[in-house]
Amino acid sequence: MFHGHRGGPRPWRREAHVTEIRRAVLTLPGVPLGPDNPLPPLRPLDEMHEVDERAKENMPLDMARQVGYRPLRSVLPERIRDGYGRDRAPVDLDTIVIENDRLRATVLPGLGGRVASLFHKPTARELLYRNPVFQPADFALNGAWFSGGIEWNIGATGHTALSCAPLHAARVPAPDGGDMLRLWEWERLRDLPFQVDLWLPDGSDFLYVGVRVRNPHEKPAPTYWWSNIAVPEEHRVLAPADEAWYFAYERTLSRVPVPEYEGVDRTYPLNSEFPADYFYEVEDGRRRWIAALDDAGHGLVQTSTDLLRGRKLFVWGAGTGGRRWQEWLTEPGTGGYSEIQAGLARTQLEHVRLEPDGEFSWLEAYGPLSADANTVHGGGSWGRAVDEVERRLADALPRADVDAAYEAWRVCADTEPGERLAVGSGWGALEVLRTGWKLPGTPFEESTLGEAQAPWRELLDSGAFPERRRVGPPGPTLVSPPWRDMLETAPARPQSEYHLGVAQWHAGDRAQAVRSWERGLELAPSLWPFLRCLAVADAADGNTERAADRYAEAFDDLCAERRDDGEPWRSACGALGREAIGVLLAVGRVVDARGVWDRLHPATRERGRFRLIEAQLLCAEGDLGAARAVFDAGFEVADLREGAETLGEVWQRAAPPGDPLPPRYDFRMRPSATD
């Protein structure tokens, strides 16, 4: 039997239900996501969480093996999401609310299924860090991500490519006979379907979350999952561990004691200066949980069945860069956050092997927890504080009840969804059409196919990839081996050669990719997409002069071809111009770089990213005063990448020696060489 109700355990039984699931709208200051970058992301993945081979020498064998197991090298077939800005106005976000008499959870199906709020009604407490704004930033594997709430990270090391993407959502019968909310999608980086089921039993203080990731393929797949929970950073974070794997933005991994490291109690997030990860080493057999409690001993606890073994604390720290990032991601003056997390492996550097036709499934529970404040914060032993929280958790939600809830949920995991509440992408439907796979519980229906999938369905049905009826930026490319095979046997027309080259590049066959793009270039009415791909290939091979030539030619062709100043053309022109200027400056062709800049759309040149490019261009021209004036006038690079140090580097070139980087531009996530 399982329970998790107020007032201690009671048997689970089917009865009259008051749990409600309904649609709603959340209005926040925010920005539109804008268009995706139309250029396929051919360059290697820009991911901060990497360590060198020497770090593996001190790891347990299973951890070292999983750190080296098929790390992601590219975000293809996804596109980069960098079309957002920072000029906020009220935005309406579709939500699904699931509520009983104790808890109210607010879910954002259009934004990765994020749980934006978990409100405990008897105490009138918000259990999560609830972001008062919707402000995307460049933290996801493919760009746009936002902070706050509970996010479901699947795919590979980092924040999921689905951070700002819609999921399918529907009402499904819950284990107790009531309703639960099912979220599901097709994760495209690893080609794996997954589902997240959320339900609130009557009278329960805990939100139950059943998760399943399936591998329908004939080969093993690398799998990654971390549930990230934002909590107020003034809370102390506790987990049943005496050691942790410490990772910071110097890209070093080391084993450190918990709670004190270098004489400082790191379980208080503001005691660190720089951003850092602490992956707790929870002993086998120990109950899996993590909690964040305020000065009075109140807060949130997360626990799970044992498969979800990892627990982590991420801190921004109290240093200048961390505080700036906190302001950047939310609203100044509204308080900061840290993250408590739970994952399939010890650390986020690892990927776990999922066997063919296999699945990973587990159950998580989220709810309020109160413990004795003196024991938790009174300066006593770490062991006593952990034991106090563990005892309170056992009273509120016994471990056996979580296991029983999991078994009850598994019976419902294949139940077909009922009323549809939100619609995700059509990519899963396309894969089901290709394979005929049966995936009980997560239907990917043909009706969800859209414009992006249309040419690929034609390739599937006819064996030929359609040529575009009018000129414009190319659509997205599918890169998995079955689709690559279909492109290789399709008639050799420009569009099929373009997409074949992208798929071959993704597979690591650069020579064949170049040949495909060169063949397409000979026949294509639109040259710039091929020239840009060939320029990336040249740059990767160290042929930067030829890469510069091709970028210049590509930009000339795009300017001659673009038909209007509409959003698709502005996006393509800005994306290609940004890359072209970077390569032209790298080879000293400053005049040519200026020529590209002058032909960018005026609105593009006003964006913060391009103001930074303007400062770089002015430095290259030797006009340091004008470059400094760009900084003095003020700009914000909306898609500033996590860990990027470009702002400081350009400032050092433009500013007089000794002038410190202004705080508004200080996003440093690690000590500088002079610290």
Side-chain angles (χ1 to χ4, degrees), residues 385-656:
V386 169
D387 289 345
E388 163 69 6
V389 174
E390 198 158 55
R391 181 178 65 81
R392 297 297 184 112
L393 173 59
D395 290 342
L397 184 63
R399 184 177 187 179
D401 287 11
V402 176
D403 293 337
Y406 168 72
E407 295 299 333
W409 166 72
R410 284 294 291 118
V411 176
C412 304
D414 285 349
T415 302
E416 290 303 308
E419 178 193 1
R420 298 303 199 267
L421 300 171
V423 179
S425 78
W427 296 112
L430 187 66
E431 291 302 319
V432 169
L433 272 180
R434 181 182 65 80
T435 62
W437 282 326
K438 305 299 182 185
L439 299 167
T442 54
F444 293 96
E445 296 162 341
E446 197 169 330
S447 61
T448 63
L449 292 169
E451 183 180 351
Q453 293 83 39
W456 298 96
R457 181 170 188 179
E458 185 168 333
L459 173 65
L460 184 63
D461 292 341
S462 70
F465 198 91
E467 287 297 300
R468 299 175 66 90
R469 293 184 177 88
R470 56 185 180 183
V471 295
T477 302
L478 294 179
V479 297
S480 66
W483 292 104
R484 189 173 71 244
D485 291 345
M486 279 186 266
L487 288 168
E488 287 176 344
T489 58
R493 300 193 294 232
Q495 284 291 300
S496 59
E497 294 290 355
Y498 168 82
H499 289 292
L500 175 58
V502 175
Q504 290 167 330
W505 182 270
H506 175 265
D509 194 347
R510 293 186 174 185
Q512 286 290 359
V514 168
R515 282 192 281 271
S516 295
W517 290 326
E518 288 175 341
R519 286 194 302 268
L521 186 63
E522 294 176 358
L523 303 171
S526 182
L527 306 182
W528 66 268
F530 297 89
L531 290 167
R532 182 264 176 175
C533 290
L534 290 168
V536 173
D538 286 332
D541 289 339
N543 297 322
T544 51
E545 286 288 352
R546 189 166 68 181
D549 288 340
R550 280 180 159 154
Y551 265 121
E553 187 179 355
F555 194 77
D556 288 346
D557 184 68
L558 173 57
C559 290
E561 178 181 291
R562 63 187 183 189
R563 296 294 184 261
D564 54 43
D565 288 329
E567 188 174 78
W569 289 106
R570 284 202 305 271
S571 179
C573 189
L576 183 60
R578 172 177 168 178
E579 290 186 10
I581 290 171
V583 172
L584 289 165
L585 289 179
V587 298
R589 291 169 57 173
V590 180
V591 173
D592 291 338
R594 172 60 70 179
V596 171
W597 170 266
D598 288 342
R599 286 177 287 169
L600 293 173
H601 192 277
T604 299
R605 292 199 296 263
E606 289 303 312
R607 294 181 61 186
R609 166 62 62 183
F610 289 87
R611 297 298 308 281
L612 177 60
I613 291 172
E614 181 183 19
Q616 292 173 296
L617 182 57
L618 289 165
C619 286
E621 292 171 332
D623 194 345
L624 301 184
R628 170 66 184 264
V630 173
F631 280 90
D632 292 342
F635 61 90
E636 293 183 320
V637 182
D639 60 330
L640 186 68
R641 183 65 176 166
E642 174 189 11
E645 298 178 348
T646 310
L647 282 167
E649 292 166 356
V650 179
W651 170 263
Q652 287 184 340
R653 294 181 62 191

Side-chain angles (χ1 to χ4, degrees), residues 10-49:
R10 68 177 174 84
W12 186 275
R13 63 180 183 268
R14 297 176 183 272
E15 53 189 19
H17 294 280
V18 296
T19 300
E20 180 183 10
I21 297 177
R22 66 182 186 275
R23 293 188 184 95
V25 174
L26 175 64
T27 301
L28 293 174
V31 298
L33 284 168
D36 289 353
N37 188 317
L39 307 182
L42 302 177
R43 292 180 172 81
L45 185 66
D46 179 17
E47 169 52 41
M48 297 299 299
H49 292 81

Side-chain angles (χ1 to χ4, degrees), residues 33-34 36 78 81 93-94 96 107-114 134 142 144 146 152 154 160-170 182-188 194 421-428 444 448 453:
L33 284 168
D36 289 353
E78 294 283 0
R81 309 203 75 168
L93 303 178
D94 290 332
I96 300 173
V107 180
L108 303 175
L111 295 168
R114 183 81 58 98
F134 173 64
N142 63 335
F146 63 106
W152 318 113
I154 183 174
T160 178
L162 295 168
S163 291
C164 290
L167 304 189
H168 301 281
R182 174 163 299 162
L183 307 167
W184 73 99
E185 245 304 350
W186 195 277
E187 200 288 311
R188 301 176 67 211
F194 71 98
L421 300 171
V423 179
S425 78
W427 296 112
F444 293 96
T448 63
Q453 293 83 39

Side-chain angles (χ1 to χ4, degrees), residues 291-319:
L293 304 180
D294 65 16
D295 289 346
H298 305 304
L300 172 82
V301 66
Q302 186 271 359
T303 187
S304 71
T305 48
D306 288 352
L307 183 69
L308 203 66
R309 65 170 300 177
R311 293 297 185 275
K312 172 194 163 182
L313 165 64
F314 167 75
V315 302
W316 281 109

Side-chain angles (χ1 to χ4, degrees), residues 227-299:
S227 301
N228 290 9
I229 309 121
V231 293
E233 66 181 347
E234 297 83 7
H235 291 26
R236 189 183 197 189
V237 173
L238 301 101
D242 296 319
E243 291 184 308
W245 294 92
Y246 166 74
F247 183 86
Y249 285 78
E250 300 92 326
R251 304 195 180 192
T252 58
L253 184 71
S254 57
R255 201 163 181 159
V256 302
V258 175
E260 289 192 7
Y261 169 50
E262 295 183 338
V264 178
D265 188 335
R266 306 291 176 168
T267 62
Y268 291 92
L270 288 169
N271 282 354
S272 294
E273 182 179 3
F274 289 97
D277 299 328
Y278 295 90
F279 299 101
Y280 294 115
E281 185 69 59
V282 182
E283 293 180 1
D284 291 341
R286 192 82 185 260
R287 185 175 186 181
R288 311 288 173 177
W289 60 267
I290 191 166
L293 304 180
D294 65 16
D295 289 346
H298 305 304

